Amino acid sequence: AQSVTQPDIHITVSEGASLELRCNYSYGATPYLFWYVQSPGQGLQLLLKYFSGDTLVQGIKGFEAEFKRSQSSFNLRKPSVHWSDAAEYFCAVVTSGTYKYIFGTGTRLKVLA
Amino acid sequence: SAVISQKPSRDICQRGTSLTIQCQVDSQVTMMFWYRQQPGQSLTLIATANQGSEATYESGFVIDKFPISRPNLTFSTLTVSNMSPEDSSIYLCSVEETDGAQYFGPGTRLLVL
């Protein structure tokens, strides 16, 4: 069965520091991959998506993610974190040809001033 | 992307009662989805709501507990029936757009006493 693992439940970084959030998936073929952000009291906002092609994907708010097939990973990165990036981040995978999203358990990001 | 709204944004209900949540989209979409996010948890798909047909429920969710309507291509409702405290969650609707990604509404925060 497909699964998505976000190994880090909580991450704390200082404002201005770089950020990497990990996401690993379990699936035989290449899935479609997504990162969403959920700010407190808000719904989910799509940061970026990967379907095929260039394995380095640029998203909104200065985020990027890199698909690494050999590691079954799709890690999210940002070179310099802002205090407004404090939120919960969810990685999701969907099997090509279906619509069912499987979400990771989320990583809660705290940003220190 | 489509603009998605949900009503109510939050509610406090007594056990044994029912609540109907509305999801409105500003453009016509084929696929609409309902998710539950229990406190501190990730998202779980409840069902897929397609216009003109009965909703398709995921394992662990039944129509008697979560009846869904989809009268047209811009609107859907989810009812949480005979509520118990365990139903306290955030309920989110989403739509699949032509880019293949799902976009989410702001969510309905439900507390059952």
Side-chain angles (χ1 to χ4, degrees):
Chain A
Q2 296 177 74
S3 65
V4 178
T5 302
Q6 293 181 246
D8 304 305
I9 299 174
H10 297 279
I11 283 186
T12 300
V13 299
S14 298
E15 191 170 20
S18 63
L19 172 69
E20 183 169 24
L21 302 182
R22 295 182 292 166
C23 173
N24 294 95
Y25 66 90
S26 172
Y27 179 60
T30 300
Y32 298 158
L33 298 156
F34 307 85
W35 275 100
Y36 289 85
V37 60
Q38 185 177 35
S39 298
Q42 304 293 314
L44 271 72
Q45 182 181 23
L46 179 67
L47 287 175
L48 45 79
K49 58 185 184 287
Y50 174 79
F51 291 150
S52 65
D54 193 343
T55 57
L56 185 62
V57 181
Q58 301 298 319
I60 63 171
K61 303 186 177 185
F63 286 93
E64 66 178 26
E66 186 171 12
F67 170 61
K68 292 186 177 180
R69 184 191 303 274
S70 61
Q71 298 176 20
S72 297
S73 69
F74 189 58
N75 294 349
L76 182 71
R77 300 194 294 250
K78 187 169 184 177
S80 178
V81 171
H82 188 263
W83 64 266
S84 60
D85 293 325
E88 184 135 27
Y89 292 80
F90 292 95
C91 181
V93 60
V94 61
T95 310
S96 60
T98 77
Y99 52 81
K100 295 186 181 181
Y101 276 42
I102 298 172
F103 283 87
T105 50
T107 297
R108 186 169 297 276
L109 175 65
K110 182 177 179 180
V111 181
L112 301 177
Chain B
S1 60
V3 177
I4 306 166
S5 60
Q6 288 186 231
K7 289 182 180 179
S9 59
R10 59 180 67 242
D11 207 343
I12 301 174
C13 301
Q14 298 298 317
R15 70 170 66 210
T17 64
S18 298
L19 176 71
T20 296
I21 302 167
Q22 300 178 7
C23 179
Q24 180 76 53
V25 189
D26 69 345
S27 59
Q28 294 186 338
V29 292
T30 302
M31 306 283 282
M32 292 183 76
F33 307 89
W34 286 99
Y35 288 83
R36 181 176 72 183
Q37 186 180 22
Q38 294 178 300
Q41 303 291 316
S42 187
L43 282 77
T44 302
L45 180 64
I46 297 172
T48 303
N50 293 327
Q51 194 260 343
S53 63
E54 284 197 3
T56 303
Y57 290 84
E58 297 300 304
S59 176
F61 298 95
V62 294
I63 187 172
D64 290 346
K65 177 67 176 178
F66 298 101
I68 289 171
S69 77
R70 181 80 197 273
N72 56 54
L73 292 175
T74 64
F75 187 78
S76 178
T77 68
L78 169 76
T79 299
V80 186
S81 303
N82 187 26
M83 289 184 286
S84 67
E86 291 70 34
D87 294 319
S88 298
S89 295
I90 303 172
Y91 292 86
L92 300 111
C93 71
S94 73
V95 303
E96 183 177 271
E97 296 212 8
T98 54
D99 66 354
Q102 285 190 23
Y103 294 84
F104 287 81
T108 295
R109 284 147 184 80
L110 171 62
L111 176 63
V112 183
L113 302 177

